[in-house]
């Protein structure tokens, strides 16, 4: 008797450990693991360049874990799955849920198609600690403020499930599949110099993710709460791209941190768990407010008088603004596919408030340059900075890049790493080189406007302009319920 054939559709769950859909498919019979690069369904939100590079390396490693039996496809997901189930007498299809609006719409259509053909189809939770529909206020409406969402919602219901071991063995479908591609044929990235350099920072895969979790717990967790704000320190977990691509599950991270709480006496583990829950809150927002990537969640900001300034936008993108902390952050992004979270807030505030350039421009640039470009987190973060999202930073909170730099990079280690042309400046002027006396600049071999740009704007003037622009909205105060 022929055993059932079960597809596991890999998406943002590129791992073997703690993969509920993979376990279910493996238990169901012979396993056919597939990955589909679908650039059609996302519309304007097809994967950016840096993410595609990470995905290439992640798929390569996943295929090795699957004994070279991961089948790769490119095109419309529904058409490809429909062909596979018809041509190979597939009995069941399993996947882990995704929460972006376009994925939910697409997955619903695929489920309907499979059910019409009497094929077993099941989606699983492999990406979140709490499902968005499980955490609601007493009136069954979604939370709009993080703290009550986390404390009164998430922590008040059942704790996150325990992480599961991977399948003890895999009976992988042995036959070749017409239409499947090699990784190179998938065409995730072109061989460009920028991507060659970026590859050096692309530490992808399940093994790397688990190793980073171990390293973080052993060396940085006990000083996380304070250290996480200093970009030159090694105090963050660097797990965000691994979580985005599902090379590690949030359950694996959550319960490992809980184990560390028994060893450590401070509140650093609890603080890290609350930051992990911020990721959940972003997914919660995009589930309940699907316009999050494109429209302000506070309606009055649809009328905001954003400026179009292609020249200064380009200077911001290239790290040539004349403000060292801004330029260091943007260069870190371009060179490494990452940016420290504190610096993300500073560069975002500078673009949106000092330059009055639409937050969507920043979101688009991050989308293309970040390894961890995540539609939920990226959109929620930019709307938070712009004051237009739920539980957003108030508009009057405008980061002063000089003060932020002096506070969180006092010795200038981060600035010197990414703005080496300023390296010889004493710390007193490193954060504001345009104020350095001529003799200090000469001794450091710096000619302002030649070796390093002059500031593209005046901080005080643009701060006042931003506050005035917000006043002109003439929006009536609104209260948000918890």
């Amino acid at each position: 008797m022929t055993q059932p054939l079960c597809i596991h559709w890999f998406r943002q769950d590129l791992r073997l450990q703690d993969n509920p859909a993979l376990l279910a498919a493996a238990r169901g019979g012979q396993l056919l693991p597939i990955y589909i690069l679908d650039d059609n369904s996302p519309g304007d939100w097809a994967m950016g360049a840096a993410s595609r590079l990470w995905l290439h390396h992640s798929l390569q490693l996943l295929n090795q874990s699957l004994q070279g039996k991961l089948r790769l496809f490119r095109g419309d997901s529904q058409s490809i799955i429909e062909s596979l189930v018809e041509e190979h007498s597939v009995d069941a299809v399993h996947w882990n849920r995704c929460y972006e609006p376009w994925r939910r719409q697409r997955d619903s259509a695929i489920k309907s198609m499979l059910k019409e053909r009497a094929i077993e189809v099941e989606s699983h939770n492999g990406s979140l600690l709490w499902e968005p529909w499980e955490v609601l206020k007493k009136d069954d409406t979604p939370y709009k403020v993080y703290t009550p969402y986390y404390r009164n919602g998430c922590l008040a219901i059942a704790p996150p499930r325990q992480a599961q071991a991977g399948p003890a063995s895999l009976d992988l479908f042995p036959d070749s599949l017409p239409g499947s591609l090699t990784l190179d044929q998938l065409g995730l990235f072109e061989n460009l110099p920028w991507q060659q350099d970026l590859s050096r920072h692309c530490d992808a895969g399940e093994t790397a993710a688990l190793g980073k979790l171990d390293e973080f717990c052993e060396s940085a967790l006990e000083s996380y709460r304070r250290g996480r704000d200093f970009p030159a320190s090694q105090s963050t977990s660097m797990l965000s791209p691994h979580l985005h691509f599902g090379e590690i599950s949030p359950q694996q991270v959550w319960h490992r941190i809980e184990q560390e709480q028994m060893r450590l006496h401070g509140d650093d583990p609890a603080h890290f768990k609350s930051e992990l829950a911020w990721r959940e809150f972003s997914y919660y927002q995009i589930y309940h407010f699907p316009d999050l990537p494109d429209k302000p969640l506070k309606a009055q900001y649809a009328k905001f008088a954003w400026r179009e300034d292609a020249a200064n936008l380009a200077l911001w993108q290239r790290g040539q603004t004349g403000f060292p902390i801004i330029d260091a952050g943007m260069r870190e992004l371009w060179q490494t596919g990452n940016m420290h979270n504190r610096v993300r807030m500073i560069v975002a505030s500078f673009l949106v408030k000092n330059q009055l350039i639409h937050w969507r421009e920043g979101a688009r640039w991050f989308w293309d340059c970040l390894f961890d470009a995540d539609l939920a987190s990226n959109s929620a973060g930019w709307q938070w900075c712009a004051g237009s999202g739920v539980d957003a930073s108030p508009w009057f909170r405008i980061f002063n890049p000089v003060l932020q730099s002096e506070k969180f990079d006092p010795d200038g280690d981060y600035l010197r790493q990414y703005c080496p042309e300023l390296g010889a400046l004493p710390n007193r002027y490193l954060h504001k080189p345009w104020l350095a006396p001529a003799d200090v600049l000469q001794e450091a071999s710096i000619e302002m406007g030649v070796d390093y740009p002059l500031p593209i704007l005046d901080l005080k003037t643009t701060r006042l302009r931003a506050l005035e622009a917000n006043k002109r909205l003439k929006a009536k105060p609104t209260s948000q319920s918890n």
Side-chain angles (χ1 to χ4, degrees):
M1 180 178 177
T2 304
Q3 62 177 320
L5 179 61
C6 301
I7 285 178
H8 170 64
W9 179 15
F10 278 102
R11 293 122 66 88
Q12 290 172 306
D13 58 334
L14 306 181
R15 64 183 185 273
L16 301 189
Q17 300 295 315
D18 194 36
N19 190 323
L22 177 64
L23 282 170
R27 286 194 297 263
Q30 196 169 60
L31 179 67
L32 174 55
I34 68 171
Y35 181 87
I36 303 171
L37 177 63
D38 186 348
D39 285 328
N40 302 321
S41 300
D44 292 337
W45 295 105
M47 199 180 308
S51 294
R52 294 167 83 91
L53 177 63
W54 186 285
L55 176 62
H56 176 93
H57 292 287
S58 188
L59 288 175
Q60 184 177 49
L61 294 167
L62 178 63
N63 187 43
Q64 293 173 10
S65 299
L66 292 168
Q67 305 162 37
K69 298 298 184 182
L70 176 64
R71 285 13 185 261
L72 304 174
F73 299 90
R74 181 172 189 165
D76 179 73
S77 299
Q78 181 167 341
S79 299
I80 290 169
I81 291 175
E82 188 171 10
S83 296
L84 287 173
V85 298
E86 289 180 352
E87 295 171 11
H88 300 282
S89 301
V90 171
D91 296 277
V93 180
H94 293 267
W95 65 71
N96 289 307
R97 285 186 284 276
C98 296
Y99 302 86
E100 297 86 347
W102 67 268
R103 291 185 191 270
R104 290 170 57 199
Q105 182 178 10
R106 179 197 63 184
D107 294 354
S108 178
I110 294 174
K111 272 191 174 182
S112 297
M113 178 270 294
L114 293 170
K115 288 178 179 178
E116 288 175 1
R117 287 161 173 73
I119 295 169
E120 179 187 347
V121 54
E122 186 175 358
S123 62
H124 307 258
N125 177 12
S127 301
L128 295 180
L129 299 170
W130 300 280
E131 293 285 20
W133 54 86
E134 294 176 343
V135 184
L136 297 171
K137 295 187 293 183
K138 292 181 179 179
D139 61 0
D140 289 333
T141 61
Y143 288 92
K144 293 184 178 180
V145 180
Y146 167 75
T147 299
Y149 158 78
Y150 180 50
R151 293 180 180 173
N152 303 338
C154 299
L155 297 181
I157 62 176
R161 63 167 176 79
Q162 292 293 324
Q164 302 168 298
S169 62
L170 294 173
D171 181 9
L172 294 161
F173 185 71
D175 301 340
S176 61
L177 288 181
S180 65
L181 305 174
T182 66
L183 186 56
D184 288 339
Q185 290 172 336
L186 200 61
L188 281 165
F189 69 94
E190 299 175 359
N191 191 22
L192 299 177
W194 173 66
Q195 289 167 325
Q196 288 179 349
D197 294 339
L198 201 58
S199 290
R200 296 186 294 107
H201 301 277
C202 184
D203 189 17
E206 183 173 12
T207 299
L210 294 170
K212 285 181 187 175
L213 178 58
D214 286 341
E215 182 179 354
F216 173 67
C217 289
E218 292 165 5
S219 63
L221 177 58
E222 62 183 347
S223 60
Y224 173 76
R225 183 165 189 171
R226 181 180 184 278
R228 62 184 289 271
D229 276 324
F230 293 82
S233 71
Q234 302 297 317
S235 298
T236 57
S237 70
M238 301 299 290
L239 287 173
S240 58
H242 299 289
L243 284 164
H244 170 67
F245 285 100
E247 297 168 344
I248 194 169
S249 75
Q251 285 81 7
Q252 289 172 292
V253 179
W254 178 274
H255 289 296
R256 174 62 188 277
I257 300 301
E258 284 207 323
Q259 292 174 13
E260 297 299 322
Q261 281 184 282
M262 301 172 64
R263 177 177 66 87
L264 302 174
H265 300 293
D267 61 355
D268 295 278
H271 194 77
F272 182 82
K273 285 162 62 180
S274 73
E275 292 298 321
L276 192 62
W278 265 105
R279 173 182 179 269
E280 298 277 317
F281 191 48
S282 297
Y283 276 88
Y284 184 83
Q285 291 177 53
I286 206 168
Y287 178 85
H288 289 289
F289 310 107
D291 287 333
L292 178 70
D294 300 301
K295 297 180 181 179
L297 296 187
K298 293 180 181 176
Q300 66 265 34
Y301 280 90
K303 302 181 295 180
F304 193 86
W306 299 108
R307 298 174 60 249
E308 291 189 10
D309 190 339
N312 275 358
L313 173 62
L315 293 174
W316 176 83
Q317 291 170 338
R318 299 200 306 267
Q320 295 290 329
T321 68
F323 293 93
I325 191 66
I326 304 295
D327 295 340
M330 299 308 293
R331 295 178 192 186
E332 180 191 17
L333 173 65
W334 182 256
Q335 294 171 25
T336 72
N338 178 58
M339 189 192 297
H340 188 275
N341 186 63
R342 165 60 59 173
V343 185
R344 292 190 196 198
M345 293 190 289
I346 300 169
V347 303
S349 175
F350 185 83
L351 181 74
V352 171
K353 296 179 179 178
N354 291 102
Q355 294 186 259
L356 290 185
I357 292 176
H358 203 300
W359 57 266
R360 284 200 298 262
E361 295 286 358
R364 290 280 180 191
W365 187 251
F366 274 30
W367 182 256
D368 201 42
C369 296
L370 280 171
F371 283 143
D372 66 1
D374 185 287
L375 190 60
S377 296
N378 191 46
S379 304
W382 278 95
Q383 289 231 38
W384 179 89
C385 179
S388 59
V390 299
D391 201 11
S393 173
W395 181 266
F396 60 78
R397 186 184 184 192
I398 301 173
F399 286 99
N400 183 306
V402 176
L403 298 180
Q404 289 283 310
S405 182
E406 290 174 337
K407 181 176 181 179
F408 294 111
D409 190 34
D411 297 324
D413 295 333
Y414 179 74
L415 298 188
R416 289 188 172 92
Q417 180 176 358
Y418 292 106
C419 298
E421 65 269 40
L422 300 176
L425 280 177
N427 288 350
R428 179 181 177 184
Y429 296 109
L430 179 62
H431 307 274
K432 44 195 175 189
W434 62 92
L435 295 182
D439 60 327
V440 173
L441 289 171
Q442 184 177 7
E443 186 175 350
S445 301
I446 297 171
E447 181 180 352
M448 292 299 297
V450 176
D451 301 301
Y452 184 73
L454 289 163
I456 64 172
L457 52 78
D458 178 76
L459 293 176
K460 182 178 180 180
T461 301
T462 54
R463 181 181 185 276
L464 293 174
R465 180 181 65 181
L467 295 174
E468 182 61 30
N470 194 54
K471 285 181 183 178
R472 288 197 297 269
L473 283 178
K474 296 180 180 179
K476 294 180 181 180
T478 56
S479 61
Q480 288 186 350
S481 60
N482 291 346

